[in-house]
């Protein structure tokens, strides 16, 4: 079966712009989590959605938001981009909350 | 406050020898622990897990040991192979707390031929 698909794979944006990243989970998976990975900070949890509801949220500013659609696909939006937002953004899906996470290959965002 | 700590950012091991990756945690409410492996430009992949009711779980060359009293777990890879070279992340959660995964910063393992 298809894995977790994240689009786009690479993205270059300018400071102040906004960006939307997409994640298509494994078919049947209802939970989608988003993470930011930077070299010095490891995997930082952004938020988790389950059945279109945000169930958990990490310690990120309000510029970071997300949503989940009825087909479990999820989008993450970052507004007013800053240089420090340059990172690998990973999406993970699971059949239910908390276990069996499968990660996508990520979206590499570069803010210039 | 880093609730899950991987104090060694990197580890270098000779092929065929044992690799031991360590992870410490501070939250005694964690009851499930996982190890993930990550290659560059790929997402992490699940490796092995252990629940707090056990002290050891083995899967092929990979064994995870849990010492609850010390709040410490370790991943043993025997024998180590060059293809094991990757970043290894330790993660933990409390099943009663929305199962929110808390991640360590990772340990980069290099297995030298």
């Amino acid at each position: 079966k298809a894995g977790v698909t994240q689009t786009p794979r690479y993205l270059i944006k300018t400071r102040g712009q906004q960006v939307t990243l997409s994640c298509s989970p494994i078919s049947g998976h209802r939970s989608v989590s988003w993470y930011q990975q930077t070299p010095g900070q490891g995997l930082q949890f952004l938020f988790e959605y389950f059945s279109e509801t945000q169930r958990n949220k990490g310690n990120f500013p309000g510029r970071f938001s997300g949503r989940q659609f009825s087909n479990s696909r999820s989008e993450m939006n970052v507004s007013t981009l800053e240089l420090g937002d340059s990172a690998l953004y990973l999406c993970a899906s699971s059949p239910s909350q908390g276990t069996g996470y499968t990660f996508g290959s990520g979206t590499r965002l570069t803010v210039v | 406050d880093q609730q899950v700590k991987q104090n060694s950012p990197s580890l270098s091991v000779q092929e065929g020898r044992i690799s031991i990756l360590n992870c410490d945690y501070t939250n005694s409410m964690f009851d499930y622990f996982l190890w993930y492996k990550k290659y560059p430009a790929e997402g992490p992949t699940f490796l092995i897990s252990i629940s707090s009711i056990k002290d050891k779980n083995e899967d092929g060359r990979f064994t995870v040991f849990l010492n609850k009293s010390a709040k410490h777990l370790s991943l043993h890879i025997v024998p180590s192979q060059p293809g094991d070279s990757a970043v290894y992340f330790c993660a933990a959660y409390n099943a009663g707390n929305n199962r929110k995964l808390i991640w360590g910063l990772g340990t980069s393992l290099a297995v030298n031929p």
Side-chain angles (χ1 to χ4, degrees):
Chain A
K1 57 183 177 181
V4 178
T5 303
Q6 290 188 247
T7 56
R9 285 298 307 275
Y10 302 93
L11 203 51
I12 299 176
K13 288 284 190 178
T14 307
R15 263 187 310 174
Q17 286 187 309
Q18 68 121 28
V19 67
T20 299
L21 311 181
S22 178
C23 173
S24 293
I26 289 174
S27 178
H29 283 195
R30 297 167 63 191
S31 174
V32 174
S33 301
W34 287 90
Y35 292 86
Q36 181 195 66
Q37 186 189 16
T38 54
Q41 297 296 319
L43 279 164
Q44 299 289 307
F45 173 75
L46 280 154
F47 23 66
E48 179 176 16
Y49 287 87
F50 182 78
S51 294
E52 302 179 65
T53 303
Q54 187 180 91
R55 293 299 180 93
N56 279 308
K57 192 176 189 304
N59 298 320
F60 278 80
R63 299 184 298 108
F64 292 81
S65 63
R67 59 178 174 168
Q68 187 180 32
F69 302 96
S70 58
N71 61 358
S72 294
R73 191 177 71 83
S74 178
E75 287 183 347
M76 190 194 101
N77 186 77
V78 188
S79 62
T80 321
L81 283 165
E82 301 176 359
L83 295 178
D85 297 332
S86 295
L88 179 67
Y89 289 88
L90 290 161
C91 164
S93 77
S94 65
S96 59
Q97 283 180 272
T99 60
Y101 287 101
T102 302
F103 281 82
S105 297
T107 294
R108 172 71 64 184
L109 171 66
T110 303
V111 182
V112 297
Chain B
D1 175 37
Q2 197 73 23
Q3 295 186 59
V4 176
K5 301 176 185 176
Q6 293 178 255
N7 292 318
S8 299
S10 63
L11 177 68
S12 183
V13 169
Q14 206 65 28
E15 180 179 6
R17 308 293 287 267
I18 183 172
S19 295
I20 300 177
L21 296 101
N22 293 304
C23 179
D24 296 294
Y25 60 96
T26 58
N27 189 341
S28 58
M29 299 300 291
F30 288 145
D31 50 18
Y32 207 77
F33 305 89
L34 307 93
W35 284 94
Y36 277 77
K37 178 169 79 171
K38 185 181 183 303
Y39 293 116
E42 293 183 15
T45 55
F46 172 75
L47 199 55
I48 193 170
S49 64
I50 188 168
S51 79
S52 59
I53 62 173
K54 294 186 173 181
D55 55 18
K56 176 182 174 182
N57 188 26
E58 190 172 354
D59 183 4
R61 297 185 298 113
F62 302 90
T63 303
V64 56
F65 295 93
L66 175 63
N67 183 333
K68 284 183 63 179
S69 60
K71 295 194 183 68
H72 176 84
L73 65 155
S74 60
L75 174 68
H76 293 211
I77 307 173
V78 184
S80 301
Q81 299 172 355
D84 296 329
S85 298
V87 178
Y88 289 79
F89 289 96
C90 170
Y93 71 84
N94 173 4
N97 184 26
N98 273 332
R99 301 189 173 209
K100 180 178 173 181
L101 266 179
I102 308 298
W103 295 78
L105 296 182
T107 296
S108 178
L109 172 66
V111 180
N112 305 308

